[in-house]
Amino acid sequence: MSDTRSLGEYTAGGDHTGPVISSSDHIGLAEAHSAHNYNPLPVVIAEGEGAWVTDVEGRRYLDCLAGYSATNFGHSNPDLLAAAHHQLDRVTLTSRAFYHDQFGPWVAALADLVGKEKVLPMNTGAEAVETAVKVARRWAYDVKGVPDGQAAIIVAGGNFHGRTTTIISFSEDPDAYGGFGPYTPGFRVVPYGDADAIASAVDATTAAVIVEPVQGEAGVIVPPPDYLPRVREICDENRMLFIADEVQSGLGRTGTVRACEHTGVIPDAYLFGKALGGGVLPVSAMVADEDVLGVIKPGQHGSTFGGNPMAAAMGRTVVRMLREGPYLENAQRLGEVLGTRIKEFVGNGAVAARSIGLWAGVDVDESLASGRELCERLASKGVLVKDTHGSTVRLSPSLVVSEDDLNWALDRFGEVLAELRAEKG
């Protein structure tokens, strides 16, 4: 069992310049000088290694969020750090005005990893989704023959694809879209997990379906097993693109490179992000075959930083790690532990629990506490998780977490639920 449960006994290392200030002072500076677009837990992280992070006072926490899957391979992963240091000493940015020696090997490796032909690199997950919207529309006009300006895209209710103005136009979350109109037209929202609703929304102008194989922000919602195969059939029957947003679900989180693998479905395009940059920098990409990405010509889409040498070096390393490392096997094995343990919470402070791979959502009994309150209590015990939609708590520890540490965190989760039940009498 981990000995890191005694918080406060660890002294943070590393080189520090200037006076060391407290967590409360850091939080005060942030609250005074940053926009309040987030509501972080009151933890100020200074260092990280593996599945653990350390705050400025030296308290250690098991990171069971992993940057929403961006740090799937753990903090300070030696393979990723070595690749980053090597590339920092060579060249970090050329723009796509020129080739560089990391680009071709990276896009070839990523395309091969998922069985596609082409890669269009960007930076953030939202940029990958925006890219998919543009590609789908262009494909509809150039290939399918939809009249210009009429292409429609079907999306799922409860989605989270990003926060740009186009993407929030098809969000159902008032916090995401409220007060930011006018909204971008061209999207049809249907219930998630309901393939019949997709079929009913199709007409001659429909270009694509964009869907998350597992909805992360919604609370780790796993659709019925026949959902994605049925979406594939509907897209084939109506000559539409099936685009899978695997920004959170892809690259190991569910125990596979792509969450779509769980149902044997092959979409027309994948969207990757988060873990693709190894937690070192933002890297994203749309990956598809030539008949899809070939509709984009020079000057029609791009990014100064998309596919830069540092990004490509990180992406190449991530692909190699997924092929050679134990990460997928760890996610599968520990995912079984996670799935079994969270079922114990149902009826003991939780009303529902879901998981796939090393990814879970637990719905807390709202009569006991909000998800935020549970997260705050867990943080006080050394476990970092994140709430969503009021009463749901998400767990997505890095793929390098040990079984002992995972069980220790789940023990703390159970303790908090027991304490809340005792307090309510």
Side-chain angles (χ1 to χ4, degrees):
M1 179 61 65
S2 170
D3 62 359
T4 51
R5 292 169 288 175
S6 300
L7 303 180
E9 296 182 359
Y10 177 87
T11 301
D15 295 327
H16 303 280
T17 58
V20 177
I21 63 175
S22 68
S23 288
S24 60
D25 288 338
H26 276 290
I27 292 169
L29 285 170
E31 292 299 299
H33 299 289
S34 71
H36 293 171
N37 58 322
Y38 279 90
N39 183 25
L41 292 172
V43 174
V44 180
I45 296 167
E47 297 180 9
E49 183 175 1
W52 291 84
V53 294
T54 307
D55 73 8
V56 294
E57 278 88 19
R59 292 181 290 261
R60 298 187 76 206
Y61 305 82
L62 187 64
D63 179 4
C64 290
L65 183 64
Y68 304 99
S69 293
T71 55
N72 274 1
F73 309 103
H75 299 280
S76 303
N77 183 287
D79 288 336
L80 290 164
L81 290 184
H85 284 301
H86 177 72
Q87 195 59 41
L88 278 170
D89 289 334
R90 300 177 70 247
V91 62
T92 57
L93 181 67
T94 62
S95 89
R96 291 293 307 285
F98 315 103
Y99 292 98
H100 61 77
D101 66 352
Q102 297 298 308
F103 187 78
W106 171 50
V107 294
L110 180 57
D112 181 68
L113 180 70
V114 298
K116 296 293 185 184
E117 296 171 345
K118 300 284 185 177
V119 174
L120 202 169
M122 299 298 287
N123 306 287
T124 66
E127 287 177 273
V129 176
E130 289 274 2
T131 298
V133 170
K134 289 179 68 175
V135 169
R137 289 174 172 174
R138 191 61 182 250
W139 178 89
Y141 304 136
D142 291 359
V143 178
K144 187 173 180 177
V146 173
D148 189 49
Q150 295 184 29
I153 294 173
I154 297 173
V155 296
N159 70 76
F160 183 82
H161 297 285
R163 298 190 186 276
T164 62
T165 51
T166 293
I167 292 172
I168 63 167
S169 297
F170 52 90
S171 171
E172 290 188 325
D173 182 355
D175 287 338
Y177 70 77
F180 298 116
Y183 303 109
T184 305
F187 301 98
R188 299 171 187 161
V189 184
V190 301
Y192 185 66
D194 186 344
D196 290 339
I198 290 177
S200 297
V202 173
D203 64 19
T205 67
T206 310
V209 175
I210 300 178
V211 68
E212 299 159 273
V214 178
Q215 288 193 327
E217 185 72 16
V220 191
I221 306 300
V222 182
D226 64 343
Y227 177 60
L228 296 178
R230 184 78 182 98
V231 174
R232 176 72 274 176
E233 291 174 1
I234 293 167
C235 288
D236 289 342
E237 291 165 359
N238 294 277
R239 202 184 181 199
M240 306 182 310
L241 298 179
F242 178 10
I243 301 173
D245 180 348
E246 295 255 20
V247 170
Q248 280 199 60
S249 62
L251 307 180
R253 175 50 54 192
T254 70
T256 56
V257 172
R258 300 145 292 172
C260 288
E261 293 177 53
H262 289 278
T263 52
V265 169
I266 301 176
D268 296 293
Y270 300 101
L271 309 180
F272 295 116
K274 297 195 184 297
L276 192 56
V280 177
L281 75 169
V283 182
S284 67
M286 180 175 182
V287 188
D289 285 334
E290 169 65 23
D291 60 354
V292 175
L293 281 177
V295 301
I296 296 295
K297 308 302 181 186
Q300 294 176 349
H301 189 58
S303 165
T304 298
F305 282 86
N308 68 74
M310 278 293 295
M314 291 300 95
R316 288 182 69 186
T317 305
V318 164
V319 170
R320 178 179 59 78
M321 291 166 67
L322 285 169
R323 287 192 181 281
E324 301 175 1
Y327 304 101
L328 299 180
E329 292 82 358
N330 286 354
Q332 294 165 12
R333 179 176 59 84
L334 296 180
E336 293 181 4
V337 175
L338 177 62
T340 299
R341 290 291 310 273
I342 62 172
K343 291 177 183 176
E344 302 168 3
F345 302 151
V346 179
N348 293 297
V351 297
R354 303 161 299 279
S355 70
I356 181 170
L358 203 51
W359 200 13
V362 178
D363 299 337
V364 181
D365 185 341
E366 295 183 60
S367 69
L368 295 179
S370 67
R372 170 73 182 203
E373 290 169 329
L374 191 138
C375 291
E376 290 173 346
R377 291 195 181 219
L378 279 172
S380 73
K381 293 178 180 289
V383 179
L384 298 182
V385 291
K386 184 67 174 70
D387 59 296
T388 184
H389 295 287
S391 62
T392 299
V393 172
R394 289 167 293 171
L395 298 95
S396 54
S398 74
L399 310 186
V400 303
V401 69
S402 72
E403 185 170 350
D404 280 351
D405 285 347
L406 177 62
N407 276 312
W408 175 79
L410 293 168
D411 288 344
R412 305 291 78 72
F413 203 120
E415 281 180 11
V416 170
L417 291 175
E419 290 167 3
L420 288 167
R421 296 199 313 276
E423 290 170 13
K424 295 294 182 179

